[in-house]
């Protein structure tokens, strides 16, 4: 186990300011490379109703990688000493059609599902070889600042609960762990399933 990455070694930029090759290097070929961060976006069942080529094209269009002048992007890219190491998906909650129909965000809550000022963090990807070094904590903090600076009224997340001794695969934990968001200033607002909670941070207007 290597030491955590110090915050001052991580540089985080909007994905449109990163190169597409850097994002490809982070995603690799495992679960993230197959999904291409389309779980909450692609119509139908992700593996049955879309191809990898389609999902890759969607991600490239959504991020605007290599286009610093783009007015929108779908996430942030993190670098350690110039090496691309992590990704966090963060944008308006309305950008995720499948969140709208999932019960997890809405169970027990009277939320306006079409509120464009509420943003969501939906996915973390840490490059193989850099995992277990605290990068999701740093990326979550960066997502908070990014959403706030882009005019969000609030930022939500839908993380998993982790238990000592209970194994969770990296693919399951792409939504993040509760403690990651607690560290970034989020508070739990609901507990819709045994293993999932809704976390939220509101920004003063």
């Amino acid at each position: 186990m290597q030491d955590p990455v110090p915050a001052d070694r991580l540089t985080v930029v909007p994905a449109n300011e990163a190169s597409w090759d850097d994002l490809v290097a982070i995603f690799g070929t495992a679960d993230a490379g197959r999904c291409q961060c389309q779980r909450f976006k692609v119509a139908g069942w992700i593996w049955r109703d879309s191809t990898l080529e389609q999902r890759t094209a969607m991600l490239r269009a959504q991020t605007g990688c290599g286009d610093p002048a783009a007015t929108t992007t779908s996430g942030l890219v993190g670098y350690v000493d110039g090496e691309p190491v992590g990704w966090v998906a963060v944008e308006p909650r309305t950008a995720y059609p499948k969140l709208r129909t999932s019960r997890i965000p809405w169970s027990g809550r009277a939320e306006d599902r079409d509120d464009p000022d509420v943003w969501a963090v939906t996915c973390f990807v840490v490059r193989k070889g850099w995992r277990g070094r605290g990068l999701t904590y740093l990326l979550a903090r960066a997502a908070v600042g990014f959403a706030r600076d882009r005019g969000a009224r609030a930022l939500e997340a839908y993380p998993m609960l982790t238990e000592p001794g209970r194994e969770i695969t990296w693919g399951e934990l792409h939504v993040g762990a509760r403690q990651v968001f607690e560290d970034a200033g989020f508070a739990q607002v609901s507990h819709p399933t045994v293993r999932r909670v809704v976390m939220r941070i509101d920004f003063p207007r």
Side-chain angles (χ1 to χ4, degrees):
M1 179 69 72
Q2 293 180 285
D3 292 335
V5 173
D8 61 3
R9 285 187 62 198
L10 183 73
T11 300
V12 180
V13 301
N16 62 294
E17 297 178 16
S19 76
W20 176 246
D21 287 345
D22 287 349
L23 195 58
V24 169
I26 292 168
F27 274 56
T29 57
D31 288 344
R34 291 194 305 143
C35 177
Q36 295 289 293
C37 216
Q38 300 306 306
R39 175 184 172 189
F40 298 114
K41 292 196 170 194
V42 70
W45 180 248
I46 185 169
W47 308 123
R48 183 186 63 212
D49 297 328
S50 65
T51 66
L52 176 58
E53 291 74 18
Q54 289 171 329
R55 295 190 296 273
T56 300
M58 290 173 68
L59 177 65
R60 190 164 191 172
Q62 292 156 9
T63 58
C65 279
D67 182 8
T71 57
T72 63
T73 189
S74 58
L76 305 173
V77 176
Y79 296 83
V80 173
D81 301 333
E83 181 177 354
V85 296
W87 153 266
V88 57
V90 54
E91 56 184 326
R93 190 175 58 188
T94 52
Y96 302 103
K98 282 192 175 176
L99 279 186
R100 200 180 192 287
T101 56
S102 168
R103 75 182 182 92
I104 287 174
W106 320 109
S107 181
R109 305 172 69 208
E111 274 282 304
D112 177 2
R113 301 186 187 200
D114 298 313
D115 187 343
D117 295 327
V118 178
W119 285 41
V121 176
T122 59
C123 183
F124 295 93
V125 180
V126 175
R127 189 176 184 177
K128 188 175 181 180
W130 289 90
R131 296 169 187 169
R133 300 187 63 186
L135 285 170
T136 55
Y137 287 83
L138 302 180
L139 290 167
R141 293 178 209 164
V144 170
F146 180 72
R148 182 182 56 235
D149 293 347
R150 295 273 176 131
R153 178 173 59 82
L155 180 61
E156 291 193 346
Y158 315 101
M160 291 191 68
L161 302 178
T162 57
E163 301 175 15
R166 181 169 184 175
E167 184 177 353
I168 295 179
T169 69
W170 186 259
E172 283 185 288
L173 206 55
H174 71 277
V175 292
R178 178 170 63 180
Q179 59 267 28
V180 167
F181 293 102
E182 287 175 336
D183 177 79
F186 290 68
Q188 182 175 314
V189 295
S190 68
H191 192 166
T193 72
V194 172
R195 300 178 72 197
R196 296 285 290 278
V197 294
V198 176
M199 308 285 288
R200 181 174 170 124
I201 183 170
D202 289 278
F203 303 122
R205 288 284 179 137

